[in-house]
Amino acid sequence: MSKSVLVPIADGTEEIEAVTVIDVLRRAEAQVTVASVEARRQITASRGVRIVADCLIGDCIDTSFDLVVLPGGMPGAEHLRDSDDLKAILLEHVQQGGSYAAICAAPAVVLAPHGLLAGKNATCYPSFAERLRGSMSLERVVADHNCITSRGPGTAMEFALELVALLFGKAKAEAVAGPMLAQGYGQSQGRAISEADGSSGGGGA
C-alpha cells in the first residue's frame, strides 16, 4: 500500500537532510509532497542550493498524510516553526495519531515549542540539546512510537531509512539500503528504538 509523506522546506533548510529524506522515501515508493512555507515554491537552502517545492504549504491544509518530516538547518527550522499553516497541519496530524519526524535543529526549534515532544525520547543537533531538557538522547536516531528524531546531516541516511522502516517495515528499508551501499543499516549502531520496526504507520514490505 502506498504511503503519503509531507516534507516542508524553507529558506535556510539543510539541503542534505531535506534531499536525503525526499530521495530515500521516493526510492521506497512513498508519495512525497515537498511544500514550501515561503510565499514561493523555490527556496534557497542553508548552503545556497536552490530547491523547487511541489507546492506551497497552504495547498496541503486539507490533505492527509501518513508521515510529516521536518528537515533542520538554520534559519530554515525557525521558518518552519513560524508557519501558521504548517503548525495547524502538524497539530491536527499528531492529534489524529499520525507519525512525525524531525532532524537536526527541527526537533528543538519546531517540535518542542509546539508541544510535540512532551513525554517523548528525542535527539537533535548538539548545540540545541539544552532545549530538549530531560528528553534528550545521544543516539543518532531515536524512535519513540510515532515520533522519530535524528541529529544532523551526517545521520540523514540512517534517519531516512528509519522512516522507510516506520512506513513499510524493516525488510523494505533493508531492500532500499542495499543498492545504495548504506552500510550498517539494521545493526545496533547508535539506534534507539522503543517500538518494533514498522509497528507504527503501516504494513510490511
Side-chain angles (χ1 to χ4, degrees):
M1 176 183 290
S2 180
K3 299 290 184 178
S4 60
V5 182
L6 174 65
V7 180
I9 59 173
D11 287 333
T13 286
E14 217 299 320
E15 44 267 79
I16 288 177
E17 295 163 2
V19 173
T20 300
V21 165
I22 294 163
D23 179 281
V24 172
L25 286 169
R26 286 181 172 166
R27 288 172 190 255
E29 300 182 334
Q31 300 300 310
V32 180
T33 299
V34 182
S36 169
V37 304
E38 309 295 348
R40 62 199 181 283
R41 289 172 54 205
Q42 181 173 292
I43 64 96
T44 302
S46 62
R47 301 303 186 273
V49 175
R50 296 176 182 176
I51 302 173
V52 179
D54 300 314
C55 61
L56 301 181
I57 193 66
D59 299 328
C60 301
I61 287 287
D62 296 321
T63 304
S64 296
F65 297 93
D66 295 294
L67 173 66
V68 178
V69 187
L70 308 178
M74 293 292 280
E78 292 176 331
H79 294 167
L80 299 184
R81 178 198 63 201
D82 296 339
S83 167
D84 290 336
D85 286 340
L86 177 57
K87 180 179 179 180
I89 289 169
L90 271 171
L91 294 180
E92 176 66 17
H93 178 76
V94 176
Q95 185 178 30
Q96 297 298 320
S99 296
Y100 57 107
I103 186 171
C104 194
V109 175
V110 187
L111 295 185
H114 292 338
L116 299 179
L117 291 182
K120 298 286 189 183
N121 293 313
T123 193
C124 67
Y125 195 76
S127 61
F128 293 93
E130 64 181 20
R131 302 193 192 188
L132 297 191
R133 301 183 179 89
S135 67
M136 177 64 188
S137 169
L138 298 180
E139 303 290 349
R140 292 169 65 83
V141 180
V142 177
D144 190 335
H145 300 274
N146 62 333
C147 176
I148 296 181
T149 52
S150 189
R151 307 204 75 189
T155 67
M157 181 64 73
E158 297 157 70
F159 175 64
L161 289 168
E162 201 62 57
L163 300 179
V164 174
L166 176 74
L167 292 173
F168 301 106
K170 182 177 177 180
K172 180 70 169 181
E174 291 176 343
V176 171
M180 295 191 296
L181 306 182
Q183 294 183 341
Y185 180 76
Q187 301 173 8
S188 56
Q189 298 178 352
R191 297 167 63 237
I193 308 299
S194 61
E195 291 291 311
D197 288 325
S199 62
S200 302

